[in-house]
Amino acid sequence: MAAAGSRSPLRGARAQLLLTLMVFSFACEACKKVIFNIPSKLEADKLVGRVDLKECLRSADLIQSSDPDFRVLNDGTVYTARTVVLSDEKRSFTIWLSNTKTQTQKELTVLLKHEKKVLRKRNTKETVLRRSKRRWAPIPCSMQENSLGPFPLLLQQVQSDAAQNYTVFYSISGRGVDQEPLNLFFIEKDTGNLYCTRPVDREEYDIFDLIAYASTADGYSADLPLPLPIRVEDENDNYPIFTEAVYNFEVLESSRLGTTVGVVCATDRDEPDTMHTRLKYSILNQTPRSPGLFSVHPSTGVITTVSHHLDREVVDKYSLIMKVQDMDGQFFGLMTTATCIITVKDSNDNLPTFRQNAYEASVEENTVNKEILRIPIEDKDLINTANWRAVFTILKGNENGHFKITTDKETNEGVLCVVKPLNYEENRQVVLEIGLNNEAPFSRDAALRLTTMNRALVTVHVKDQDEGPECSPAVQYVRIKENLAVGSKINGYKAYDPETSSSNGLRYKKLNDPKGWITINEISGLIETSKTLDREATSPRNDLYNITVMAIDKDGRSCTGTLAVNIEDVNDNPPEIQQNSLVICKQRMEYTDITATDPDESVNGAPFYFSLANTSPEISRLWTLTRVNDTAARLSYRKNAEFQEYYIPVTVKDRAGQSATKTLRVNLCDCSHPSQCHATSRSAAVVLGKWAILAILLGIALLFSILATLVCGIVSAGKRKGFPEDLAQQNLIISNTEAPGDDKVCSANGFMTQTVNNSSQGFCGTLGSAVKNGGQETIEMVKGGHQTLDSCRGTGHHHTLDSCRGGAVETDTARYSYSEWHSFTQPRLGEKLHLCNQSEDHMPSQDYVLTYNYEGRGSPAGSVGCCSEKQEEDGLDFLNNLEAKFTALAETCAKK
């Protein structure tokens, strides 16, 4: 009842849909009916047929079937939805095609028919159709191939019914008459007898299609042309021929029974599908004559093996004489022979074997890459093939990889070599088990016969050798605490003598110590710290600090090892803040993060603890620090903080208590990006325009020009002090005057420079500094003291005012102006003239006081009088400083 109740809504929906479709179909336009012939019963999902939907409605987008037993696909294919049984001979249903866009509908009626087959019997009263009498009545004609005659040979007679009423003449045309072969046939025009003139080869012409004509005397065609085929009947006149005179085949020696070796083939030119071309193959002879190993199929020519005794090592090649005969092999058939060469290919059916079961070899310890033994083997398979080439394997005894065995490609011998040094003290004898195989896998029969791999034992005797020390293991480890006191001793690298298994008598030497932190005791090998070890100075920090050590015995033989020092970390480094200065844009940033790092290990590192260190009340009021993670903190400001730079000291401490304080320069800026703040700072610090920059450059250029001028002046003054200008400008003459005039030279600085005779008792000079040069003094006026010449008077030598002041005088390299110079020198010059105007008896000397006109400021002309510089009569030492070309002239003047 429940099932029935559940189906009732479904049936109601189907009924409504069917009613809708029926109503819809009244407005539909019918298409051409389609008829399918089907069996009386069709299973579900069986193809019924296919209708052309596009011919009915090309734009259909909705396809529906009125019969739920059938479903229609979009391409028009009709399938059964369930098993359908045709109770009547006919059944139909409708396919509705609709276009929902254009509201177009069409229907297509499908008619299913099942017709029963009825056997129809002929009524005895019905007449049998018979062929009406033809007007041309030729008999089917044929002729024998290679006929012996007699020729011309009558084949048949052609007659026309028109000959009863008219005189008819016969003629023929076609191949064999007026086409090649010419004149093979002819016909008597009066009787219609057809003749053949000579024998015919069917393999050349198998049929002749002639056309016969009947015409009256006046040329009227009494009948239509008559086709007249003449077939040449075959004669067994051709021998069957093999496609090849010699066949060459190959077969594996381990082939199974019935293995195909090859196929022989023959052809026959006689007429196909006749006894003349029915061929039969057979084997006439086999060489060497052994029990039959091969057979051939009589009809197909396929050669197969009939024995499993093929052994290449016994017979590697067979020769067969093959026969082919037509007429199905009957004794009177034609036959031909051919040769078939069958080569037996090698297979790996012979296992390689050792010539003996045990071998012995010897080798000295510490020998490497040396051949110690050759192992010959035997294999009957074909030489220089994968079935013959041997593959040696060390099955046991080579767990440490001391040996390697290879195959000699020429001799197929096993070559045993030592590839890793042996130690006599550890193992004096090694027994190896060697296995033997081939490169190619064994054949099936050989694998069945194989019980165990062919094996042999090799005993290797290790010879003792007096060897040097051994550094084993190559790397030895030691732990040292960081910052260990200098001079601390730690166990070092230990090598040993393999002969005595001890370290006695060995000396140690350090080969490499990257930082020079370690020294090694030559006798004991103990290491001692020569410097404080710093784990953070190693690179990489967490790696081992490697020291290379050499151990040497008394004979000078040595070995090298590595002492890997694991430096244990000590919390000797406080964490360090990475940032120095920070920029905070108040418009967008409410804080900034600071990070710290610690070069120590993690146990002495993070987490870090950040805090403000001894800050001012203003900093504490405006800035706060909060933790971000183990290595970072967040520096935040209050909203009332002003735009300026703040110097904030921050203390960071690691988990072990090691701390450090760093003052951060924090720029709280009115910007939207930190880069704008940097640009603003730079622009505020430097406000120079382009004209200011140009002025600065011009000032620098002027300063350099002044410095260059001063340097050139100093250099020029130095040169003139070495060589007095007045002497360099004079001519070399002999003066006969009793009182030569005084010479004055104006120096480059604008002040008067005088040379005074050393023998004068009076003092004549100016305020300044004196430079000794060749017995003369050059006195130059500079800024200086305020003493008069009276206090500087002396005899026997000259004094400058500086030397008379009784102490150091601060001098200024700057020159006076002309007015300053005039006011300073006017009173002192009067005093000097008064002194110089007296003779040796302190009497006035009128010839010295002369009046000269003022020649102007900075005049290069010298003055004459007692105030001029005086030279000694024989003072010609300056000639020693002249060039070489004046030497001879100077010597001449000196003699006079």
Side-chain angles (χ1 to χ4, degrees):
M1 291 299 292
S6 62
R7 289 195 189 98
S8 59
L10 181 60
R11 289 180 177 178
R14 287 184 177 178
Q16 185 178 0
L17 176 62
L18 182 60
L19 179 60
T20 303
L21 292 176
M22 291 176 63
V23 174
F24 202 71
S25 65
F26 286 111
C28 292
E29 182 180 354
C31 295
K32 185 178 179 180
K33 182 184 294 185
V34 178
I35 301 175
F36 292 133
N37 293 318
I38 63 172
S40 60
K41 182 178 180 181
L42 282 176
E43 298 294 334
D45 296 323
K46 291 296 183 179
L47 176 65
V48 177
R50 183 175 181 180
V51 297
D52 191 355
L53 301 179
K54 293 184 178 180
E55 183 180 0
C56 184
L57 182 60
R58 181 176 297 273
S59 60
D61 55 4
L62 179 62
I63 303 172
Q64 295 173 322
S65 173
S66 63
D67 192 340
D69 292 342
F70 300 91
R71 55 189 177 91
V72 183
L73 303 183
N74 291 333
D75 61 350
T77 307
V78 182
Y79 285 88
T80 56
R82 56 180 64 88
T83 302
V84 176
V85 178
L86 294 181
S87 57
D88 300 329
E89 291 186 2
K90 294 182 181 181
R91 180 174 177 177
S92 64
F93 67 94
T94 303
I95 299 176
W96 288 294
L97 306 176
S98 303
N99 188 333
T100 57
K101 295 181 179 179
T102 61
Q103 298 297 322
T104 304
Q105 299 88 22
K106 288 190 178 182
E107 64 178 19
L108 180 66
T109 303
V110 178
L111 179 62
L112 304 178
K113 296 177 62 177
H114 172 61
E115 294 185 356
K116 298 181 180 179
K117 294 183 180 180
V118 179
L119 296 178
R120 188 171 175 224
K121 297 182 179 180
R122 184 176 65 88
N123 193 341
T124 55
K125 296 182 178 180
E126 293 180 357
T127 60
V128 180
L129 293 177
R130 298 180 182 272
R131 187 180 65 174
S132 61
K133 183 177 180 182
R134 294 181 58 189
R135 299 184 65 190
W136 288 81
I139 302 174
C141 181
S142 64
M143 59 176 296
Q144 186 67 36
E145 178 188 14
N146 300 323
S147 175
L148 300 179
F151 296 100
L153 179 64
L154 177 63
L155 298 180
Q156 72 170 355
Q157 184 182 18
V158 179
Q159 291 183 347
S160 175
D161 293 340
Q164 298 177 3
N165 302 319
Y166 305 97
T167 301
V168 177
F169 299 98
Y170 299 95
S171 62
I172 58 174
S173 65
R175 190 173 64 174
V177 180
D178 53 0
Q179 300 176 18
E180 290 292 338
L182 298 173
N183 302 321
L184 179 61
F185 303 99
F186 71 91
I187 190 171
E188 291 181 348
K189 67 176 183 176
D190 297 328
T191 63
N193 292 331
L194 180 63
Y195 293 92
C196 177
T197 61
R198 57 184 182 270
V200 179
D201 186 2
R202 191 208 65 85
E203 285 70 40
E204 188 174 0
Y205 305 103
D206 56 346
I207 190 171
F208 295 93
D209 293 319
L210 304 180
I211 298 177
Y213 305 93
S215 60
T216 60
D218 54 1
Y220 172 75
S221 296
D223 273 314
L224 295 175
L226 175 68
L228 186 63
I230 300 176
R231 192 175 66 85
V232 181
E233 295 182 357
D234 183 47
E235 182 184 21
N236 191 19
D237 58 342
N238 290 281
Y239 286 83
I241 300 174
F242 281 101
T243 55
E244 296 182 23
V246 178
Y247 290 90
N248 290 282
F249 301 119
E250 293 180 344
V251 62
L252 283 174
E253 60 178 333
S254 58
S255 298
R256 298 182 178 182
L257 295 178
T259 301
T260 299
V261 178
V263 179
V264 293
C265 183
T267 59
D268 197 322
R269 297 182 60 194
D270 291 327
E271 186 175 0
D273 300 326
T274 63
M275 291 295 292
H276 299 163
T277 55
R278 184 172 295 180
L279 307 180
K280 186 174 184 179
Y281 300 92
S282 60
I283 299 175
L284 290 180
N285 186 28
Q286 173 184 306
T287 304
R289 293 182 178 275
S290 58
L293 300 177
F294 307 97
S295 67
V296 62
H297 191 279
S299 300
T300 61
V302 176
I303 302 174
T304 56
T305 59
V306 295
S307 174
H308 59 270
H309 295 297
L310 284 173
D311 191 352
R312 188 205 63 84
E313 289 72 33
V314 178
V315 178
D316 62 349
K317 189 173 292 186
Y318 292 89
S319 177
L320 304 179
I321 304 299
M322 305 299 300
K323 184 185 78 170
V324 60
Q325 190 172 15
D326 60 14
M327 302 302 290
D328 200 18
Q330 298 184 41
F331 69 93
F332 51 83
L334 303 179
M335 59 168 287
T336 307
T337 61
T339 303
C340 181
I341 306 298
I342 299 176
T343 302
V344 181
K345 293 177 62 178
D346 183 46
S347 64
N348 195 15
D349 58 343
N350 292 283
L351 307 182
T353 58
F354 290 103
R355 293 184 181 178
Q356 57 191 64
N357 296 326
Y359 299 88
E360 289 190 2
S362 61
V363 62
E364 290 187 351
E365 63 174 336
N366 301 321
T367 302
V368 181
N369 297 327
K370 182 179 180 181
E371 176 185 325
I372 61 174
L373 180 64
R374 280 184 170 263
I375 306 175
I377 62 138
E378 292 181 353
D379 196 323
K380 296 180 180 179
D381 290 320
L382 187 61
I383 296 176
N384 293 327
T385 62
N387 301 327
W388 174 79
R389 286 189 288 268
V391 177
F392 296 87
T393 306
I394 302 177
L395 302 176
K396 294 181 181 179
N398 193 33
E399 287 76 12
N400 296 324
H402 292 283
F403 302 94
K404 180 181 72 174
I405 189 167
T406 57
T407 304
D408 189 327
K409 301 299 182 182
E410 300 295 331
T411 62
N412 211 28
E413 294 176 324
V415 181
L416 183 63
C417 300
V418 177
V419 295
K420 186 177 178 180
L422 294 164
N423 193 333
Y424 175 81
E425 287 73 23
E426 294 180 358
N427 201 348
R428 301 185 181 184
Q429 179 177 294
V430 180
V431 178
L432 303 176
E433 185 177 3
I434 309 297
L436 181 59
N437 279 321
N438 288 122
E439 290 184 0
F442 296 131
S443 63
R444 184 181 61 87
D445 295 338
L448 292 176
R449 297 196 305 267
L450 180 62
T451 56
T452 58
M453 180 186 294
N454 200 350
R455 307 179 183 214
L457 296 179
V458 176
T459 302
V460 180
H461 301 281
V462 182
K463 296 181 179 179
D464 187 21
Q465 186 183 51
D466 188 9
E467 52 193 346
E470 184 171 343
C471 294
S472 179
V475 180
Q476 299 180 13
Y477 298 87
V478 64
R479 300 177 67 88
I480 302 178
K481 279 188 174 294
E482 183 182 13
N483 299 330
L484 188 66
V486 176
S488 300
K489 295 182 180 180
I490 306 98
N491 290 332
Y493 193 90
K494 282 294 182 181
Y496 67 95
D497 189 345
E499 306 296 333
T500 60
S501 299
S502 68
S503 300
N504 297 333
L506 298 181
R507 294 180 296 108
Y508 298 91
K509 180 180 179 181
K510 182 179 69 173
L511 294 182
N512 182 35
D513 182 2
K515 301 291 184 180
W517 289 342
I518 300 298
T519 60
I520 189 168
N521 188 292
E522 185 178 3
I523 304 301
S524 63
L526 296 177
I527 61 174
E528 183 176 342
T529 57
S530 60
K531 296 180 182 179
T532 302
L533 276 66
D534 187 1
R535 187 193 70 87
E536 289 72 33
T538 59
S539 180
R541 291 180 181 175
N542 296 326
D543 204 354
L544 298 173
Y545 182 72
N546 295 325
I547 302 171
T548 305
V549 179
M550 175 185 289
I552 309 169
D553 64 5
K554 60 182 179 180
D555 296 326
R557 291 169 296 193
S558 63
C559 68
T560 303
T562 300
L563 183 63
V565 180
N566 185 359
I567 303 176
E568 298 180 358
D569 184 44
V570 175
N571 191 17
D572 57 345
N573 292 281
E576 181 181 359
I577 298 176
Q578 299 298 304
Q579 294 83 1
N580 293 319
S581 61
L582 300 168
V583 177
I584 301 177
C585 291
K586 197 172 182 180
Q587 297 180 9
R588 294 180 176 272
M589 301 168 59
E590 296 181 356
Y591 57 84
T592 184
D593 292 341
I594 57 176
T595 58
T597 58
D598 194 332
D600 292 325
E601 288 186 354
S602 57
V603 294
N604 296 321
F608 300 140
Y609 304 95
F610 295 86
S611 61
L612 296 177
N614 299 325
T615 59
S616 63
E618 181 183 4
I619 299 297
S620 301
R621 180 174 55 85
L622 297 178
W623 298 90
T624 59
L625 270 177
T626 56
R627 183 179 182 275
V628 176
N629 53 38
D630 289 348
T631 60
R634 180 160 295 166
L635 182 62
S636 306
Y637 63 89
R638 305 289 184 184
K639 292 185 178 180
N640 58 350
E642 297 181 354
F643 297 114
Q644 67 178 43
E645 284 191 352
Y646 296 89
Y647 292 89
I648 304 173
V650 178
T651 299
V652 57
K653 182 170 61 175
D654 60 20
R655 67 165 63 185
Q658 189 77 263
S659 65
T661 302
K662 186 173 185 178
T663 300
L664 301 178
R665 184 167 61 90
V666 182
N667 187 359
L668 185 60
C669 185
D670 185 11
C671 59
S672 59
H673 192 274
S675 60
Q676 297 176 352
C677 190
H678 288 307
T680 305
S681 300
R682 288 195 296 270
S683 62
V686 181
V687 293
L688 296 177
K690 58 182 180 180
W691 296 110
I693 295 174
L694 180 60
I696 291 173
L697 295 177
L698 292 176
I700 293 173
L702 181 60
L703 178 61
F704 275 112
S705 63
I706 294 173
L707 292 176
T709 304
L710 292 177
V711 171
C712 293
I714 293 171
V715 173
S716 300
K719 292 182 178 180
R720 282 190 292 273
K721 291 174 184 178
F723 299 95
E725 288 187 17
D726 57 341
L727 297 179
Q729 295 174 358
Q730 289 181 353
N731 294 325
L732 297 178
I733 60 175
I734 297 177
S735 177
N736 292 327
T737 61
E738 295 179 356
D742 293 336
D743 298 327
K744 293 185 178 180
V745 180
C746 184
S747 64
N749 55 21
F751 299 109
M752 201 67 66
T753 303
Q754 300 177 351
T755 57
V756 184
N757 195 304
N758 289 334
S759 61
S760 300
Q761 295 179 357
F763 178 84
C764 184
T766 61
L767 182 63
S769 59
V771 179
K772 200 78 175 177
N773 188 1
Q776 301 174 353
E777 267 187 359
T778 301
I779 303 173
E780 185 175 345
M781 177 67 185
V782 297
K783 284 185 180 181
H786 305 278
Q787 298 181 0
T788 63
L789 294 177
D790 293 332
S791 61
C792 300
R793 183 177 298 171
T795 59
H797 58 276
H798 299 284
H799 295 274
T800 64
L801 185 59
D802 293 338
S803 62
C804 299
R805 292 173 64 181
V809 179
E810 294 182 0
T811 61
D812 189 359
T813 57
R815 303 303 185 202
Y816 284 102
S817 64
Y818 176 74
S819 61
E820 292 175 339
W821 178 81
H822 186 271
S823 62
F824 177 79
T825 58
Q826 188 68 26
R828 291 165 179 76
L829 184 58
E831 183 182 357
K832 181 178 178 181
L833 290 175
H834 176 74
L835 293 175
C836 293
N837 198 25
Q838 297 179 359
S839 63
E840 294 179 358
D841 297 332
H842 301 280
M843 296 299 292
S845 198
Q846 299 297 328
D847 60 337
Y848 280 90
V849 180
L850 301 176
T851 301
Y852 296 93
N853 290 330
Y854 177 65
E855 298 180 356
R857 179 182 177 182
S859 174
S863 300
V864 293
C866 64
C867 295
S868 303
E869 297 176 350
K870 298 182 179 180
Q871 294 181 352
E872 297 179 355
E873 292 182 359
D874 297 331
L876 302 176
D877 293 339
F878 69 91
L879 296 175
N880 296 329
N881 298 323
L882 299 176
E883 295 181 0
K885 60 183 178 179
F886 296 101
T887 303
L889 182 58
E891 291 177 354
T892 302
C893 294
K895 291 178 181 180
K896 293 183 180 181

